[in-house]
């Protein structure tokens, strides 16, 4: 009996064909087919950063407006005040708010960095003080270039402002002229702020001296883990030293 032989088609095991098919499915870095997941993550990250920057801008704008409103309220109270004591308190509050605003702007301008420009900060605080003091007050800045940690900007701006106010009130010479020199220097592991006037000087520990605001300077210096001292040179030389954190 003759057997009928049925020929079945053989599987195509050609190696070249297999490799060509595999190459068409290659999704590695050298493939023409782009990788979707990493690009999607990058897009999400870019959107998150953009949103964060927008929120920061909005927060800064609102804070700036709030400080301006506060200054206007204080100025209104100053104009309406009848007693010299009340006017002095309100005037000091206006200057302190201005110093806070100056530090906040320096902090915001240093976005993306952990430091602020120390020279720009000191110059800005002094410039703000000049606009609020009379023509009998001369303020000179001698600050070396260098950066400060961001967290020191606000307390340092307030310290400079308080020492300037104190010098203007009690550091005038016999003709009523006030000359103040502000200097910020950096030593190994240490910052040193000096505010020098040409008045008659004072003793920091003298209970009879009218030293409004110097208690705040002491507290702020302690916040910076620093120290506050006063010496006669003649005049008063106020020095705040704090570590380079």
């Amino acid at each position: 009996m003759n057997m009928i032989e049925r020929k079945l088609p053989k599987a195509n095991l050609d190696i070249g064909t297999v490799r060509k098919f595999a190459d068409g499915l290659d999704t590695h870095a050298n493939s023409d087919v782009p990788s979707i997941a990493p690009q999607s993550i990058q897009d999400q990250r870019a959107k998150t950063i953009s949103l964060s920057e927008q929120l920061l801008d909005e927060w800064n704008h609102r804070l700036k407006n709030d400080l301006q409103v506060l200054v206007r309220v204080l100025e209104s109270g100053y104009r309406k005040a009848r007693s010299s004591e009340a006017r002095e308190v309100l005037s000091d509050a206006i200057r302190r708010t201005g110093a806070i605003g100056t530090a906040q702007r320096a902090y915001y301008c240093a976005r993306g960095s952990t430091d602020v420009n120390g020279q720009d900060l000191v110059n800005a605080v002094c410039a703000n003080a000049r606009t609020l003091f009379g023509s009998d007050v001369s303020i000179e800045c001698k600050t070396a270039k260098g950066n400060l940690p961001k967290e020191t900007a606000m307390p340092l701006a307030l310290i400079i402002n308080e020492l300037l106010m104190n010098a203007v009130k009690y550091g005038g010479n016999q003709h009523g002229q006030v000359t103040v020199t502000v200097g910020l220097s950096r030593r190994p592991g240490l910052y040193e702020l000096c505010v020098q006037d040409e008045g008659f000087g004072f003793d920091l520990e003298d209970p009879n001296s009218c030293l409004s605001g110097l208690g705040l300077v002491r507290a702020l210096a302690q916040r910076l883990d620093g120290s506050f001292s006063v010496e006669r040179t003649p005049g008063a030389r106020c020095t705040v030293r704090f570590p380079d954190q």
Side-chain angles (χ1 to χ4, degrees):
M1 178 179 243
N2 294 331
M3 299 289 297
I4 300 175
E5 184 178 351
R6 305 181 66 181
K7 294 184 178 180
L8 299 175
K10 296 182 179 180
N12 188 355
L13 300 178
D14 183 76
I15 300 299
T17 303
V18 173
R19 286 181 177 175
K20 288 181 181 180
F21 180 77
D23 289 342
L25 296 179
D26 187 9
T27 58
H28 290 84
N30 59 351
S31 172
D32 294 334
V33 180
S35 179
I36 299 176
Q39 187 63 42
S40 177
I41 294 175
Q42 291 177 4
D43 291 343
Q44 292 178 2
R45 185 179 302 169
K47 291 179 180 179
T48 301
I49 293 174
S50 177
L51 179 60
S52 298
E53 291 178 347
Q54 292 177 21
L55 292 174
L56 181 60
D57 289 339
E58 179 66 19
W59 176 85
N60 177 70
H61 182 70
R62 291 190 179 188
L63 179 57
K64 180 180 178 181
N65 289 343
D66 290 344
L67 289 174
Q68 290 176 344
V69 170
L70 178 58
V71 168
R72 294 192 190 99
V73 172
L74 293 171
E75 288 175 342
S76 177
Y78 176 85
R79 289 190 295 268
K80 295 177 181 179
R82 295 293 177 261
S83 69
S84 59
E85 183 178 357
R87 291 171 70 89
E88 181 177 348
V89 170
L90 290 169
S91 178
D92 289 349
I94 292 171
R95 295 189 183 99
R96 286 166 182 159
T97 304
I100 292 173
T102 299
Q104 186 268 334
R105 286 192 297 273
Y107 191 95
Y108 175 75
C109 289
R111 55 194 299 182
S113 172
T114 58
D115 296 329
V116 297
N117 188 300
Q119 189 178 48
D120 290 347
L121 175 66
V122 175
N123 290 340
V125 175
C126 291
N128 180 72
R130 289 190 192 99
T131 63
L132 298 174
F133 295 132
S135 58
D136 291 336
V137 178
S138 173
I139 302 175
E140 182 180 3
C141 294
K142 293 183 178 180
T143 302
K145 293 182 179 180
N147 293 329
L148 291 164
K150 265 187 173 182
E151 58 269 18
T152 67
M154 191 69 70
L156 188 62
L158 286 170
I159 287 173
I160 296 171
N161 182 73
E162 293 300 320
L163 294 178
L164 286 174
M165 289 196 301
N166 188 75
V168 170
K169 292 178 182 178
Y170 313 114
N173 59 22
Q174 57 185 351
H175 303 293
Q177 300 288 328
V178 178
T179 302
V180 191
T181 302
V182 181
L184 177 65
S185 59
R186 184 177 183 180
R187 300 178 181 180
L190 186 72
Y191 290 98
E192 183 176 277
L193 170 71
C194 291
V195 178
Q196 169 80 52
D197 64 55
E198 299 180 0
F200 300 101
F202 60 86
D203 183 0
L204 183 59
E205 305 301 331
D206 185 0
N208 296 320
S209 298
C210 185
L211 305 177
S212 174
L214 294 187
L216 177 59
V217 173
R218 274 180 162 171
L220 291 170
Q222 291 176 357
R223 178 178 172 181
L224 293 173
D225 295 326
S227 63
F228 173 49
S229 62
V230 176
E231 57 183 320
R232 295 174 184 265
T233 58
R237 180 181 177 86
C238 300
T239 305
V240 175
R241 297 181 178 91
F242 56 98
D244 181 3
Q245 299 176 352

